[in-house]
Amino acid sequence: MSSNVVVVLDNGGGLIKAGIGGERDPTTVVPNCTARPLSSKKFLLADQLLSQTEDLTSAVLRRPFDRGYLINQDLQSTIWSHIFSSLLHVTPSSSSLLLTEPLFNLPSIQRATDEIVFEEFNFKSLFVSDSPSLVHLYEASRRPYDVVSKAQCSLVVDVGFSFTHVAPVFQNFTVNYGVKRMDLGGKALTNYLKELVSYRSINVMDETFLIDDVKEKLCFVSTDVARDLQIARRRGNDNYFRCTYVLPDGITHTKGFVKDPIEAQRYLTLSEKGELPQEGANEDDEPEVKSKPNKVDLTKNEFSLSNERFLVPEMIFRPADLGMNQAGLAECIVRAVNSCHPHLHPVLYESIILTGGSTLFPNFAKRLESELRPLVPDVYQVKIATQEDPILGVWRGGSLLASSPDFDAMCVTKAEYEELGSSRCRRRFFH
Amino acid sequence: MEDDVRRMSTRARKVAPKMVAALASTDNRTQAILARLEALENDNPGAELVEPNDDDDDASLDEDDDQVFQKKQSKGTKRKTRQAKALETAKKAPRTFLELLHDANLESLPPHVPSYLRAAVGPPSSTSRRDFCTVCGFSAKYTCVRCGMRFCAARCQNVHNDTRCLKFVA
């Protein structure tokens, strides 16, 4: 029965997405790190970090990934064995593994990874894939009449945890000479937000999990930075971006939360000129609202955000503002396309796919389109599609591939690995 | 010579030496920028980097007896010298990505082979950058002469000088 089990593992720097091939959704999505809370001596693994009761204040973090590449194999195999045994309930020796790895993985890292897979876990066979081709595969199968699947070609923009890749995919293969990378991803954004909040209100330099939550709930991409900065300068209730986040107090709640979610969502209804829609019903509320002091209550542990909310994701579009000597995302896309054959240019611009957790910021696609349009020749159409679920997109592609009939033939078996060694086997994956 | 100084305005006289000092030490600024970018990749930025050898060093109270016992025992057998211990931790500690990258020696590949180094997007086409005040976040007009960070008004400058100036310079 269990002879055909394929474990699909999207081993990201931030989150591990793991499940059984052929299913629609992964069984678990857990952080790829261990953390030790201040109160204990033990490091908590993967899913234990997600439990509601665990107090992760000032937890010390350890990640197996550094700058997007696997550097700590020991830690990674601890996390994997936990996932395989207590979350997926699979026996590696009777199953195959589909693993994703970052583009341009170093040979030494590949060798070490193969070693864990075959010698420590004893997997029956292994297939290694890069993420852009899996994203392409999933999108092509989901939209069979679209350009993506007709031309068998797409431009995958993966804004991940450690970095951002723009990768052209052609005939299900990533065009490796066309790939462009920006060294900026979700981790840097979280740390940047941490720095800003710590400097301006409360020291949260240790609270990675908390600030991750703040970033996911409150940050958004501005469509007009100059206008939004003007609005953020206003005082009191006219500042549509100001909102308050309540820190956990460790007694009544161990997780932080947004104080007033409706207030936090106000920016979504802003018109072009930066005005809120006027409603008759609003006028009745206004005196009440004005009487409410809009200041941060210092007795409670909370902090307010205003321009930080859009200045943080802004860095993906202009890393130069941070002092990083790299082009922004729009220019990155243009360079990736230009390094491909000219015949592909129109098709690539028309089939841009956004994936990766950091594309979840509201207005991301809209802003990208407005930045990209002036850089692309008029005759080409620009079409940006966001994945249904950018975090799981890669995994779903992997699941699809694992359930295809030729999957077994593409794998490298343990016997082959033992016979030929790591580097020879890797050639089969065309890396 | 003295004539020259007198002809300058008071402001120029005050600022000029500072400007000279700043231009002479552009090193400070690049150092600050690099340190800042490095800090963004750090997992535990709040804590001062503690060596991960907590398995033997920070024992809690209830384990004290155990440790004393262990120490007595270890005296009988061979003792590790400090050097040997350092060597061992260096071996155990995972190497950073930059070290691995250096070992991979990607520069030696022929120029047509795509690699990690060649995939980097490269510098932006325009050198213009928007400057945001490092204190309050709004657009900033002024640059700190010492560390190169931006600020927008005298108030923010004071805050900057008091708290942050040269923070990222070792």
Side-chain angles (χ1 to χ4, degrees):
Chain A
M1 180 208 97
S2 60
S3 60
N4 287 346
V5 173
V6 182
V7 178
V8 179
L9 197 67
D10 178 12
N11 199 32
L15 293 171
I16 293 188
K17 284 74 75 176
I20 307 297
E23 288 174 9
R24 184 179 149 72
D25 281 322
T27 319
T28 54
V29 179
V30 291
N32 193 2
C33 62
T34 65
R36 181 169 56 88
L38 272 189
S39 52
S40 80
K41 283 196 75 185
K42 229 182 87 191
F43 272 92
L44 297 173
L45 279 176
D47 61 310
Q48 294 155 347
L49 296 171
L50 296 175
S51 88
Q52 281 300 312
T53 50
E54 210 60 65
D55 184 14
L56 290 171
T57 311
S58 307
V60 179
L61 263 181
R62 284 169 70 196
R63 296 185 197 276
F65 274 66
D66 176 30
R67 286 171 174 73
Y69 291 90
L70 182 59
I71 54 150
N72 193 342
Q73 273 83 14
D74 290 344
L75 183 55
Q76 186 66 82
S77 70
T78 321
I79 296 174
W80 279 1
S81 76
H82 176 76
I83 288 175
F84 295 146
S85 61
S86 51
L87 296 173
L88 291 183
H89 306 291
V90 291
T91 42
S93 54
S94 63
S95 33
S96 310
L97 179 69
L98 193 160
L99 183 69
T100 61
E101 69 171 13
L103 290 159
F104 304 115
N105 207 353
L106 301 177
S108 60
I109 300 175
Q110 288 178 335
R111 214 175 307 126
T113 314
D114 287 352
E115 238 165 66
I116 313 180
V117 170
F118 285 122
E119 286 168 27
E120 202 173 326
F121 289 103
N122 289 316
F123 270 103
K124 212 173 61 179
S125 57
L126 166 73
F127 182 76
V128 177
S129 173
D130 53 38
S131 42
S133 56
L134 293 180
V135 170
H136 170 81
L137 186 71
Y138 177 67
E139 287 298 311
S141 76
R142 223 170 60 85
R143 299 180 283 165
Y145 301 108
D146 210 67
V147 188
V148 176
S149 55
K150 275 187 186 158
Q152 276 304 311
C153 168
S154 62
L155 188 73
V156 176
V157 178
D158 185 349
V159 191
F161 178 76
S162 327
F163 40 40
T164 298
H165 274 120
V166 178
V169 181
F170 182 64
Q171 305 274 348
N172 277 336
F173 282 104
T174 306
V175 182
N176 59 4
Y177 55 84
V179 173
K180 291 284 171 247
R181 181 193 72 245
M182 276 164 65
D183 294 315
L184 199 64
K187 179 179 176 179
L189 296 187
T190 301
N191 281 341
Y192 184 49
L193 181 61
K194 228 190 254 179
E195 201 187 289
L196 291 181
V197 173
S198 302
Y199 189 56
R200 293 177 194 170
S201 30
I202 292 177
N203 185 6
V204 287
M205 285 311 273
D206 286 328
E207 321 297 338
T208 305
F209 292 100
L210 189 83
I211 297 300
D212 254 340
D213 183 61
V214 176
K215 182 187 78 174
E216 282 157 26
K217 283 188 182 143
L218 292 178
C219 282
F220 64 93
V221 175
S222 160
T223 44
D224 182 350
V225 179
R227 180 202 75 187
D228 288 351
L229 274 175
Q230 283 302 318
I231 295 174
R233 212 183 258 282
R234 294 181 200 163
R235 289 174 179 281
N237 219 26
D238 290 334
N239 184 348
Y240 307 130
F241 302 128
R242 182 174 298 279
C243 61
T244 310
Y245 189 86
V246 183
L247 295 168
D249 59 2
I251 305 160
T252 51
H253 48 276
T254 51
K255 296 272 180 280
F257 57 90
V258 181
K259 197 177 188 185
D260 185 357
I262 299 165
E263 181 191 54
Q265 295 297 322
R266 278 195 299 182
Y267 68 90
L268 285 175
T269 56
L270 281 181
S271 66
E272 286 285 304
K273 283 180 192 162
E275 296 299 324
L276 283 180
Q278 293 294 321
E279 283 168 41
N282 249 1
E283 281 168 24
D284 302 333
D285 295 339
E286 225 157 288
E288 190 202 344
V289 170
K290 267 184 184 160
S291 64
K292 202 164 61 179
N294 209 353
K295 276 185 184 161
V296 176
D297 187 358
L298 284 177
T299 56
K300 277 189 191 137
N301 276 330
E302 54 186 36
F303 59 84
S304 73
L305 294 173
S306 67
N307 59 20
E308 296 88 352
R309 291 179 68 192
F310 57 88
L311 286 181
V312 169
E314 189 64 25
M315 293 307 141
I316 293 180
F317 297 96
R318 300 278 182 87
D321 293 350
L322 207 63
M324 192 178 259
N325 194 19
Q326 289 198 320
L329 187 57
E331 208 169 321
C332 194
I333 291 175
V334 173
R335 286 181 195 180
V337 172
N338 283 344
S339 55
C340 294
H341 193 277
H343 287 174
L344 285 177
H345 293 188
V347 198
L348 286 175
Y349 281 125
E350 214 174 310
S351 53
I352 298 174
I353 303 170
L354 290 183
T355 185
S358 301
T359 59
L360 283 169
F361 292 118
N363 294 336
F364 191 95
K366 200 173 158 196
R367 168 70 186 274
L368 181 59
E369 185 161 3
S370 69
E371 287 229 334
L372 189 57
R373 188 62 262 191
L375 301 178
V376 176
D378 278 355
V379 285
Y380 300 152
Q381 265 194 352
V382 173
K383 223 164 151 189
I384 300 174
T386 315
Q387 278 209 305
E388 201 184 353
D389 191 335
I391 293 177
L392 303 183
V394 178
W395 189 90
R396 285 182 179 154
S399 173
L400 206 67
L401 183 68
S403 59
S404 77
D406 341 322
F407 179 72
D408 280 338
M410 298 190 295
C411 286
V412 165
T413 62
K414 188 171 158 57
E416 282 171 315
Y417 168 77
E418 279 162 357
E419 181 80 23
L420 301 169
S422 169
S423 58
R424 291 288 300 275
C425 291
R426 282 280 172 167
R427 290 200 193 147
R428 179 172 296 190
F429 307 135
F430 302 105
H431 290 172
Chain B
M1 180 68 202
E2 214 165 273
D3 232 30
D4 274 358
V5 176
R6 210 171 288 157
R7 227 177 281 147
M8 281 197 281
S9 69
T10 5
R11 181 180 173 277
R13 234 180 298 164
K14 267 187 189 167
V15 169
K18 276 190 191 172
M19 287 298 286
V20 172
L23 288 176
S25 66
T26 42
D27 205 18
N28 252 359
R29 294 186 180 193
T30 42
Q31 213 183 328
I33 289 170
L34 289 179
R36 180 128 192 264
L37 292 176
E38 187 73 12
L40 287 183
E41 288 296 326
N42 195 349
D43 280 326
N44 299 306
E48 297 300 311
L49 269 183
V50 188
E51 285 300 304
N53 52 356
D54 37 16
D55 37 348
D56 50 8
D57 273 2
D58 60 339
S60 63
L61 279 175
D62 48 321
E63 275 180 342
D64 260 3
D65 296 10
D66 259 359
Q67 228 196 5
V68 171
F69 178 67
Q70 267 185 351
K71 264 185 189 159
K72 269 181 191 162
Q73 214 179 25
S74 62
K75 253 180 199 170
T77 59
K78 62 178 174 185
R79 274 182 69 189
K80 274 181 198 163
T81 58
R82 200 174 291 166
Q83 232 177 353
K85 213 174 176 185
L87 263 177
E88 201 172 81
T89 46
K91 231 186 241 173
K92 251 197 283 177
R95 312 174 58 213
T96 65
F97 174 67
L98 293 179
E99 285 167 357
L100 291 174
L101 187 67
H102 180 76
D103 286 357
N105 198 14
L106 294 179
E107 290 91 346
S108 66
L109 289 173
H112 63 272
V113 178
S115 70
Y116 177 83
L117 297 175
R118 299 215 171 80
V121 64
S125 57
S126 92
T127 50
S128 73
R129 54 179 279 191
R130 295 167 303 174
D131 293 298
F132 298 112
C133 175
T134 47
V135 178
C136 66
F138 295 104
S139 59
K141 280 183 189 161
Y142 311 110
T143 310
C144 174
V145 285
R146 272 185 295 176
C147 65
M149 278 189 175
R150 307 287 298 195
F151 53 85
C152 63
R155 229 177 84 198
C156 289
Q157 184 188 14
N158 288 338
V159 176
H160 170 82
N161 283 342
D162 290 348
T163 56
R164 198 169 217 185
C165 193
L166 294 178
K167 180 191 159 195
F168 287 107
V169 180

